[in-house]
Amino acid sequence: MKIGIGNDHSAVDMKNEVVDFLVEQGYEVVNYGTDSYESCNYPVYGEKVANAVAQGNVDLGILICGTGVGISLAANKVKGIRAVVCSEPYSARLSREHNNTNILAFGARVVGIELAKMIITEWLNAEFQGGRHQTRVDMIMDIEERKCK
């Protein structure tokens, strides 16, 4: 599985640790984030990863900024993206099982690296359950179709 990762200046160190963790787990990782500590704009990286996911260049995406909020908001503006911000593993797992999320975001200033690894593991190991959840995901995507014309 190929995972795209993006980050702003506040999350360079965490991104590097997450990349190492993912590679150790056998994932291929494509870095769309910055490697500089110089202040930059998180929407750039949220959009890069979201486009890569939407276009099928990577299977899933992970985004990290200070809180995870801003970068996920940018990603969610790309058609077909369902990005979720999670600060604990339970919501991460359920977001995949119930909402079929394709991008996970979290904050380098909110969670430590060990918690980030737990969140990522739960998210990646979860599978979309379909059924009644598919109906709801379809409804969400229908909103996108109607409002983005």
Side-chain angles (χ1 to χ4, degrees), residues 14-25 29 117:
M14 181 169 276
K15 184 264 306 270
N16 291 333
E17 291 186 68
V18 167
V19 169
D20 291 345
F21 172 72
L22 290 168
V23 169
E24 288 171 8
Q25 302 299 311
V29 181
K117 290 176 185 178

Side-chain angles (χ1 to χ4, degrees), residues 75-103:
N76 275 319
K77 297 298 181 184
V78 174
K79 185 176 181 180
I81 296 304
R82 290 174 306 283
V84 63
V85 181
C86 292
S87 298
E88 42 74 30
Y90 182 71
S91 294
R93 179 169 51 89
L94 288 184
S95 80
R96 290 272 289 153
E97 290 178 354
H98 294 187
N99 310 113
N100 202 17
T101 54
N102 47 18
I103 294 180

Side-chain angles (χ1 to χ4, degrees), residues 56-88:
N57 298 326
V58 295
D59 300 300
L60 297 169
I62 295 176
L63 295 171
I64 317 167
C65 66
T67 63
V69 174
I71 203 164
S72 70
L73 290 173
N76 275 319
K77 297 298 181 184
V78 174
K79 185 176 181 180
I81 296 304
R82 290 174 306 283
V84 63
V85 181
C86 292
S87 298
E88 42 74 30

Side-chain angles (χ1 to χ4, degrees), residues 25-45:
Q25 302 299 311
Y27 296 100
E28 181 180 349
V29 181
V30 180
N31 180 13
Y32 295 96
T34 185
D35 292 314
S36 170
Y37 298 100
E38 186 175 327
S39 183
C40 62
N41 298 312
Y42 55 78
V44 171
Y45 305 103

